[in-house]
């Protein structure tokens, strides 16, 4: 696979001159990071440039870098939310990971790439649902995994494990209702059972 990366890396550098924030080669893969302002243009180049020909978007997901590795990584100091796409070139039989960071942590917005790769449609809806990342230009951006009355975005690192609301059937109203979570958070410390003769050992 390394010979593929030996050809892909200079091809990316030539086609995207001046638009690469970082291009990291690690564990047999290339991760390309670009600025938000260049994101759509870079995506079009990756898809249409014959030297690259990334015809297929395999995956797209959101990431929350808050508290990344307990502050040990430089990524923990930058923007909180990122969108990562995995692209495949069938023609050249190579892959690249593309990453872009949203500028505003309070309202993360990234352009939609559905006009370039229509496979991004449901992936972008999932990232919106789970991380609250808004994809500007998406024609039908709505939740895809959580329920209609769901509050918040469950993959954000500050989302409570128990959630905000719970659902139950109310026999008096004869319907399903939502109510604030009644579970009290608690910490359970496991007890260590020590038996002198456990397993026949003395």
């Amino acid at each position: 696979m390394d010979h593929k990366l030996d050809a892909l890396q200079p091809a990316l550098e030539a086609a995207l001159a001046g638009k690469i924030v970082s291009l990291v080669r690690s564990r047999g893969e290339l991760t390309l990071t670009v600025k938000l302002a260049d994101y759509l243009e870079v995506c079009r180049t990756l898809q249409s440039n014959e030297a690259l020909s990334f015809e297929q978007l395999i995956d797209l997901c959101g990431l929350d870098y808050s508290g990344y590795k307990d502050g040990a990584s430089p990524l923990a100091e930058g923007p909180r939310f990122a969108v990562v796409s995995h692209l495949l070139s069938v023609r050249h039989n190579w892959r690249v990971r593309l990453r872009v960071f949203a500028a505003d942590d309070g309202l993360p917005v990234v352009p939609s790439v559905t006009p370039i790769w229509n496979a991004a449609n449901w992936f972008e809806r999932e990232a919106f649902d789970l991380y609250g990342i808004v994809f500007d230009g998406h024609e039908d951006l709505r939740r895809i995994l959580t329920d209609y009355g769901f509050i918040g975005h469950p993959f954000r690192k500050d989302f409570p494990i128990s959630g905000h609301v719970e659902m139950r059937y109310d026999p008096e109203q004869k319907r399903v209702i939502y109510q604030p979570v009644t579970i009290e958070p608690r910490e359970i410390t496991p007890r260590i059972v020590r038996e002198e003769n456990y397993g026949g050992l003395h």
Side-chain angles (χ1 to χ4, degrees):
M1 186 61 188
D2 282 349
H3 67 282
K4 291 281 185 184
L5 298 186
D6 291 339
L8 174 57
Q9 188 165 347
L12 287 167
E13 291 168 343
L16 304 173
K19 294 183 174 62
I20 297 174
V21 173
S22 71
L23 185 58
V24 177
R25 183 169 173 172
S26 176
R27 298 185 177 122
E29 298 177 332
L30 279 174
T31 301
L32 167 67
T33 304
V34 299
K35 293 178 183 175
L36 185 62
D38 297 328
Y39 180 55
L40 275 183
E41 187 180 347
V42 166
C43 288
R44 290 190 192 100
T45 302
L46 291 171
Q47 193 264 349
S48 62
N49 186 300
E50 290 190 7
L52 301 173
S53 296
F54 286 102
E55 311 100 335
Q56 292 187 11
L57 181 140
I58 301 300
D59 186 29
L60 181 148
C61 63
L63 289 171
D64 180 354
Y65 280 101
S66 61
Y68 187 64
K69 291 188 179 177
D70 299 323
S73 167
L75 291 172
E77 303 300 321
R80 176 177 176 181
F81 295 102
V83 171
V84 172
S85 304
H86 294 104
L87 306 174
L88 169 68
S89 169
V90 176
R91 178 185 298 183
H92 300 297
N93 189 26
W94 56 32
R95 298 168 187 261
V96 71
R97 179 185 297 111
L98 173 64
R99 179 173 57 193
V100 64
F101 286 89
D104 184 358
D105 291 350
L107 180 62
V109 180
V110 172
S112 173
V113 295
T114 52
I116 302 167
W117 298 288
N118 60 10
N121 187 342
W122 281 17
F123 290 131
E124 290 180 348
R125 285 181 59 190
E126 181 182 63
F128 165 69
D129 191 358
L130 301 179
Y131 289 95
I133 299 170
V134 175
F135 290 88
D136 187 30
H138 194 289
E139 294 182 356
D140 187 22
L141 194 62
R142 57 194 165 99
R143 292 189 182 271
I144 192 170
L145 294 175
T146 57
D147 202 3
Y148 297 109
F150 197 87
I151 297 170
H153 304 283
F155 277 20
R156 288 189 174 191
K157 291 185 180 176
D158 55 3
F159 188 83
I161 292 174
S162 58
H164 297 292
V165 295
E166 62 186 22
M167 182 176 64
R168 69 174 178 85
Y169 179 77
D170 188 322
E172 292 178 4
Q173 299 182 44
K174 295 184 178 177
R175 66 181 183 90
V176 173
I177 63 167
Y178 291 92
Q179 65 185 36
V181 172
T182 57
I183 301 170
E184 290 185 17
R186 59 182 180 148
E187 235 177 77
I188 300 174
T189 305
R191 292 187 308 170
I192 299 172
V193 178
R194 300 185 188 277
E195 297 180 18
E196 292 180 8
N197 298 324
Y198 179 76
L201 299 174
H202 299 288

